[in-house]
Amino acid sequence: MKLTLTQILDFPKRYRANLINSLSGVKTPVLVGTKNQANATNLSIFNSLLHIGAHPPLLGILCRPNNTPRHTLNNILETGHYTLNFIPQNLIERAHQTSAKYPASISEFEACHIEPLWTDFNAPYVKESPIRIGMEFKEQLDIKINGTLLIIGEIKEVYIEDSKIDEEGNALMTAHDISSIVGLNAYHVAKRLYKLSYAEPDEKLIKTE
Amino acid sequence: MKLTLTQILDFPKRYRANLINSLSGVKTPVLVGTKNQANATNLSIFNSLLHIGAHPPLLGILCRPNNTPRHTLNNILETGHYTLNFIPQNLIERAHQTSAKYPASISEFEACHIEPLWTDFNAPYVKESPIRIGMEFKEQLDIKINGTLLIIGEIKEVYIEDSKIDEEGNALMTAHDISSIVGLNAYHVAKRLYKLSYAEPDEKLIKTE
């Protein structure tokens, strides 16, 4: 069937949100860990991780200014640092619960029974997470058309088991038992099919396990 | 192990690109179909689909100005329209081949043996794609820190089988036999685990198939 923009705008709000979110495909949710200057912590699930560049190593997340993650955004701008924590399968339900609208005075680490991990980094990690990334805020882009913000940070450190990076540098998103998501609430796991070689005109691709 | 920014910057270029790309998790690649004003077509695979908002329905893709997708970017800015086409498993190798650096005079539709589908929309679709989205360019954001561009468009129309949207509006990314990717070249399929209800403070999440 064909859906037109008019039909999409006429759908009930939640139905439309599910449809448009799911049309961005499979994503990997991360828990974003922050603290404010008074050391009060916040933890929030984001489904909008975006690769911005490898040199310098940059990742982006999308923030909705009028929504719960505002606490996260405020903390990032206040301290300049945040953590990205991938979600193993046995953490999915508690990670999803961080999307509830808790008041700023409540830490999702406590409310959702997720143990923080403190290091010398200026933001809390999630102890159970198999891949943890320490980020430094670099750039904020204001998206005019709907008031959302793209927050770009530089990777300062990565915690990952060495056996979980393949010989070409790829982090193994399945071996880590990392969860994926479609839309706002449909959790998935990814299974690796194969790798393809770098594409060149008129050269046959090589397929490897 | 812990990797520091210094270590990451010291990795060989390709290894670092794989690592940082894979650290943005599982993504769903799309083929972006465009034409220029002289009706010459272009098709290029992008791994950077980002949900920007549902009302209006907006999706973003990231463009590297000094790379192959420049043809795509030029065409989008020239015509104002482009298509996003999801990739079924039997299209993966030909879709990956579109990332080869073909000269502007060659259409990847022909070079990679991918059949275009022409409708009354101002850009070519991919005939074999099970979900096809017609997009209208809305906003360009220049990312200062590395010169990349976030291109934001509005969804004008969606082609999808009705049976492939669930009762809550979620497009079924697995039932469609849609491919996912980790990093630059590791293709995956996603398997749905379960859905969780909307999270509220102090309410138990409901898990459904």
Side-chain angles (χ1 to χ4, degrees), chain A residues 59 72 95 154 194:
Chain A
L59 297 172
T72 299
E154 185 177 54
Y194 51 77

PDB file of all heavy atoms in Angstrom, chain A residues 59 72 95 154 194:
ATOM      1  N   LEU A  59      30.545  10.759  18.010  1.00  0.00           N
ATOM      2  CA  LEU A  59      29.211  10.159  17.975  1.00  0.00           C
ATOM      3  C   LEU A  59      28.189  11.226  18.338  1.00  0.00           C
ATOM      4  O   LEU A  59      28.484  12.144  19.106  1.00  0.00           O
ATOM      5  CB  LEU A  59      29.109   8.997  18.976  1.00  0.00           C
ATOM      6  CG  LEU A  59      30.029   7.788  18.748  1.00  0.00           C
ATOM      7  CD1 LEU A  59      29.941   6.824  19.934  1.00  0.00           C
ATOM      8  CD2 LEU A  59      29.652   7.060  17.457  1.00  0.00           C
ATOM      9  N   THR A  72      19.291  14.962  31.115  1.00  0.00           N
ATOM     10  CA  THR A  72      20.546  14.508  30.516  1.00  0.00           C
ATOM     11  C   THR A  72      21.238  15.658  29.797  1.00  0.00           C
ATOM     12  O   THR A  72      22.431  15.905  29.994  1.00  0.00           O
ATOM     13  CB  THR A  72      20.246  13.370  29.502  1.00  0.00           C
ATOM     14  OG1 THR A  72      19.635  12.292  30.207  1.00  0.00           O
ATOM     15  CG2 THR A  72      21.508  12.908  28.810  1.00  0.00           C
ATOM     16  N   ALA A  95      16.546  -0.916  31.630  1.00  0.00           N
ATOM     17  CA  ALA A  95      16.992   0.193  30.771  1.00  0.00           C
ATOM     18  C   ALA A  95      15.780   0.922  30.182  1.00  0.00           C
ATOM     19  O   ALA A  95      15.733   2.155  30.152  1.00  0.00           O
ATOM     20  CB  ALA A  95      17.886  -0.335  29.651  1.00  0.00           C
ATOM     21  N   GLU A 154      33.047  13.787  21.526  1.00  0.00           N
ATOM     22  CA  GLU A 154      34.241  13.036  21.123  1.00  0.00           C
ATOM     23  C   GLU A 154      34.446  11.869  22.090  1.00  0.00           C
ATOM     24  O   GLU A 154      34.280  12.022  23.299  1.00  0.00           O
ATOM     25  CB  GLU A 154      35.463  13.953  21.165  1.00  0.00           C
ATOM     26  CG  GLU A 154      36.738  13.305  20.658  1.00  0.00           C
ATOM     27  CD  GLU A 154      37.905  14.288  20.653  1.00  0.00           C
ATOM     28  OE1 GLU A 154      38.185  14.892  21.720  1.00  0.00           O
ATOM     29  OE2 GLU A 154      38.525  14.466  19.604  1.00  0.00           O
ATOM     30  N   TYR A 194      27.399 -11.970   7.292  1.00  0.00           N
ATOM     31  CA  TYR A 194      28.731 -12.054   6.686  1.00  0.00           C
ATOM     32  C   TYR A 194      29.294 -10.645   6.522  1.00  0.00           C
ATOM     33  O   TYR A 194      28.562  -9.656   6.649  1.00  0.00           O
ATOM     34  CB  TYR A 194      28.684 -12.757   5.321  1.00  0.00           C
ATOM     35  CG  TYR A 194      27.642 -12.211   4.367  1.00  0.00           C
ATOM     36  CD1 TYR A 194      27.844 -11.017   3.676  1.00  0.00           C
ATOM     37  CD2 TYR A 194      26.428 -12.876   4.161  1.00  0.00           C
ATOM     38  CE1 TYR A 194      26.888 -10.515   2.809  1.00  0.00           C
ATOM     39  CE2 TYR A 194      25.465 -12.382   3.296  1.00  0.00           C
ATOM     40  CZ  TYR A 194      25.703 -11.206   2.624  1.00  0.00           C
ATOM     41  OH  TYR A 194      24.756 -10.688   1.779  1.00  0.00           O
TER      42      TYR A 194
END
